[in-house]
């Protein structure tokens, strides 16, 4: 079997899909994207496709070596995301060829269902309570929320109090049997993070995500010891090499993104690396259906898996949602806050190719907002 053709599709709300077709008619799908930089990843996929076309799609590990290392320069979001999407598509082809779900090819399932969480926005505690009630009603046992908007370099008493008030409202709405995770989104300095983490500890968050920017990973050891709050990071890390120092720093939860960190192949290995540090896997996935399907396949085969992000109802999605490009939404019909294990081959979803081709004709040009502090200076989004 040989790879015949590789196509990419720029589809709303902010995604990029790839389709890998073989000479035997087996087709695999992947989601190679960096949010806000989709066109650049598309160009990277086109360049990598020059190598892949004509190759045997089942030599996934060898292709991963060549795609990540064969260009001399390596790593970073664009190249690692391009490889990630192609890697997902190759695993999809392998599963369809062998008639097995990807989790079976990764060593077989270690669980029957995968816990997922829902996003709640809610800038005001009252809104938050309403949104959490709706997610609890829908069966979710965990939610994630942003901690704050643009935040002063040293948080003011009012900013600190506002974060605590919102997380406290969430805790009250959820009760002690459900979880709230809090995303700092790299908006806090280490000094502010230390101050706020200490205040949040009594509210028992599941974890606090990106307490500082990824380039400040060297500051994580101090934050790990500053409070009892489990720390999470990884959506802006792209390989085992990137994860090694943050795991050694003592993070509790590793959050590689299946569409950024080298795909199924590398995230499976990052999970094993995390296991040696006693850390749990919670893949980042505010993305589309192919990235989520790939995430779930890894989750089913990973012993040290904690919880899965998913984008249904997320605030970014305006013109399309998680189910817009699927023939059958069943794989993402969550029951009691969990995705159930299926035995469909490959990634376990059927992409609606007609819908994808039509959406690509419209395309998108999604960019994240650029924020400013009150004095006009740049603020982290
Ligand atoms: Mg995040």
């Amino acid at each position: 079997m040989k790879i015949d053709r590789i196509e990419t599709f720029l589809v709303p709300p902010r995604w990029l899909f790839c389709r890998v077709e073989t000479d035997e008619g087996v087709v695999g799908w992947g989601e190679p994207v960096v949010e806000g930089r989709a066109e650049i990843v598309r160009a990277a996929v086109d360049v990598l496709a020059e190598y892949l076309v004509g190759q045997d799609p089942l030599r996934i590990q060898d292709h991963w070596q060549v795609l990540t290392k064969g260009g001399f320069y390596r790593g970073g979001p664009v190249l690692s995301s391009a490889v990630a999407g192609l890697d997902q598509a190759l695993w999809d082809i392998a599963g369809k060829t062998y008639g097995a779900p990807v989790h079976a090819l990764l060593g077989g399932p270690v669980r029957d269902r995968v816990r997922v969480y829902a996003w709640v926005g809610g800038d005001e505690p009252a809104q938050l309570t309403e949104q959490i009630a709706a997610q609890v009603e829908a069966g979710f046992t965990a939610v994630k929320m942003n901690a704050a908007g643009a935040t002063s370099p040293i948080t003011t008493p009012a900013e600190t109090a506002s974060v605590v008030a919102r997380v406290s409202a969430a805790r009250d709405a959820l009760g002690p049997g459900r979880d709230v995770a809090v995303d700092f989104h790299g908006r806090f300095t280490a000094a502010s993070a230390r101050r706020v983490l200490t205040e949040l500890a009594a509210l028992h968050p599941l974890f606090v995500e990106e307490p500082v920017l990824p380039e400040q990973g060297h500051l994580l050891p101090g934050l790990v010891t500053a409070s009892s709050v489990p720390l999470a990071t990884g959506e802006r890390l792209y390989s085992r090499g990137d994860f090694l120092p943050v795991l050694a720093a003592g993070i509790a939860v590793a959050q590689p993104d299946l569409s950024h960190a080298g795909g199924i192949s590398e995230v499976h290995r990052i999970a094993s690396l995390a296991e040696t540090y006693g850390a749990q896997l919670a893949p980042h996935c505010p993305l589309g259906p192919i990235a989520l399907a790939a995430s779930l396949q890894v989750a089913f085969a990973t012993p040290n898996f904690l919880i899965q992000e998913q984008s249904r109802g997320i605030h970014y999605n305006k013109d399309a949602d998680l189910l817009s490009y699927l023939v059958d939404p069943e794989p993402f019909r969550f029951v009691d806050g969990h995705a159930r294990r299926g035995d469909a081959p490959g990634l376990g979803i059927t992409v609606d190719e007609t819908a994808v081709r039509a959406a690509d004709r419209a395309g998108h040009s999604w960019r994240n907002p650029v924020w400013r502090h009150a004095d006009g200076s740049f603020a982290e989004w």
Side-chain angles (χ1 to χ4, degrees), residues 22 80 215 307 324:
T22 68
S80 303
E215 57 265 38
I307 196 163
S324 302

Side-chain angles (χ1 to χ4, degrees), residues 143-216:
V143 297
K144 193 167 87 182
M145 57 188 278
N146 278 318
T151 302
S152 305
I154 303 292
T155 48
T156 63
E159 285 172 331
T160 304
S162 153
V163 178
V164 174
R166 293 172 68 255
V167 178
S168 184
R171 170 51 66 214
D172 287 346
L174 288 162
R178 299 186 188 87
D179 282 308
V180 56
V182 183
D183 192 351
F184 280 18
H185 221 248
R187 293 171 189 165
F188 288 63
T189 60
S192 293
R194 204 160 36 240
R195 174 174 272 164
V196 177
L197 283 168
T198 313
E199 303 255 332
L200 289 182
L203 298 172
H204 218 292
L206 179 63
F207 55 75
V208 161
E209 174 171 328
E210 283 197 325
V212 288
L213 288 165
E215 57 265 38
Q216 291 168 350

Side-chain angles (χ1 to χ4, degrees), residues 57-133:
L58 300 180
R59 296 190 60 182
I60 300 174
Q61 300 306 337
D62 188 61
H63 296 327
W64 193 92
Q65 298 298 320
V66 173
L67 296 178
T68 54
K69 303 171 185 174
F72 185 66
Y73 295 97
R74 57 193 76 184
V78 172
L79 282 174
S80 303
S81 299
V83 172
L86 290 166
D87 179 85
Q88 293 166 8
L90 296 182
W91 279 100
D92 196 21
I93 289 171
K96 288 167 177 168
T97 302
Y98 298 126
V102 170
H103 61 73
L105 305 183
L106 294 175
V110 296
R111 58 178 48 79
D112 302 321
R113 57 182 198 160
V114 162
R115 191 183 184 201
V116 299
Y117 63 80
W119 262 96
V120 286
D123 289 332
E124 299 301 327
Q127 271 181 335
L128 198 60
T129 302
E130 238 170 68
Q131 290 178 355
I132 289 175

Side-chain angles (χ1 to χ4, degrees), residues 270-286:
I270 290 168
S272 289
L273 180 67
E275 191 181 10
T276 67
Y277 285 90
Q280 307 297 303
L281 189 79
H284 179 250
C285 193

